[in-house]
Amino acid sequence: MPVQSTLTADEKNKLKAAIVPTGKIQTAALARIYFAHPDPNSWSYGGLQGALAFVMDNNKNTFFLRMVDLVGTRGVIWEHELYEGFEYFQDRLFFHSFPGDKCMIGLVFAEESEAKIFFKKVTKRKDTKSKPAKAPSTKKTSSNKSGKIDKSLISGPTEGSFKHVGHMGYDSEKGFVSSGVDPSWNTFLTDLESHGIDHELINQNMDFIKDFVRDAQKTAAATTAPPAAKKKKPPPPAPRRNV
């Protein structure tokens, strides 16, 4: 059963008059706009309320969020373009948020049912602008003739995979061979060779490689993750009919 809109017939006419000449309305709902400014950890009401529409702008060939004044005759009183990579979050059923140009922006809906439809429409949108094809990434190879391994080429096996081994070396038929060592070491050593490092040079520097990776793993283990950012509490739902 379709959800009944909270917009009256007169409000829908105002919305269409402001939007339809240049765009197509995907969905619309009663809402208020909040900003995480000047305090980024709390929401402040921006004084903007009305019919919030998710719109495809035919002239600019892109999506917009646009708010239309329902009390007066000002038409569109706020808009925000859904640029490439635009992120849209559902913090609560009635509260959505997204990054603005200078701060986070929050949308408080009068009805949860309309908010649910709005979120689905925005997040399921199809980008209309063609994206340029990405050039295939290539790794720059380097050759070292000085007799030393360049540390910048050593990313190392996964943390905790280092083990003392009785043998790690190079076989002319099998390539790099080892016994009693994590398989990621073989991948790692082969990767060094793919960067132009001669296998004999790797053999000569095997102790250096193991010591370097061991020290790097100790440093990584000692690094603590930064504390999670404090999440802002959403404002209360917008009034249902006094918007």
Side-chain angles (χ1 to χ4, degrees), residues 23-159:
K24 181 179 180 181
I25 300 172
Q26 309 297 309
T27 188
L30 292 171
R32 283 181 172 180
I33 300 177
Y34 285 73
F35 299 93
H37 182 81
D39 182 1
N41 294 315
S42 63
W43 293 105
S44 299
Y45 176 45
L48 297 169
Q49 59 182 10
L52 180 67
F54 175 43
V55 180
M56 162 53 71
D57 189 299
N58 297 325
N59 294 335
K60 298 180 180 179
N61 194 33
T62 191
F63 290 105
F64 278 85
L65 297 178
R66 286 176 176 157
M67 177 165 281
V68 174
D69 178 25
L70 296 179
V71 178
T73 57
R74 293 179 293 169
V76 177
I77 56 177
W78 175 88
E79 70 173 21
H80 189 88
E81 180 181 357
L82 275 65
Y83 48 82
E84 184 177 344
F86 178 81
E87 294 182 297
Y88 191 76
F89 308 103
Q90 185 181 51
D91 299 71
R92 297 287 190 277
L93 289 177
F94 64 87
F95 181 73
H96 303 167
S97 64
F98 57 90
D101 295 332
K102 298 181 179 179
C103 66
M104 289 294 292
I105 299 175
L107 305 176
V108 178
F109 294 84
E111 292 290 340
E112 290 184 354
S113 56
E114 291 183 338
K116 183 178 180 180
I117 295 174
F118 205 96
F119 180 76
K120 183 177 180 180
K121 290 284 187 178
V122 172
T123 55
K124 298 296 183 181
R125 70 189 183 280
K126 294 183 179 180
D127 293 332
T128 56
K129 293 183 178 180
S130 58
K131 299 180 180 179
K134 294 183 178 179
S137 59
T138 56
K139 291 185 177 180
K140 184 179 180 181
T141 60
S142 60
S143 177
N144 193 323
K145 302 297 183 180
S146 63
K148 293 184 179 181
I149 298 292
D150 183 358
K151 290 185 179 182
S152 66
L153 298 179
I154 303 178
S155 57
T158 56
E159 182 179 348

Side-chain angles (χ1 to χ4, degrees), residues 149 170 176 193 197-206:
I149 298 292
Y170 185 87
F176 286 106
E193 189 178 29
I197 306 299
D198 186 79
H199 62 82
E200 292 183 358
L201 181 59
I202 296 176
N203 268 332
Q204 294 172 7
N205 290 271
M206 191 66 69

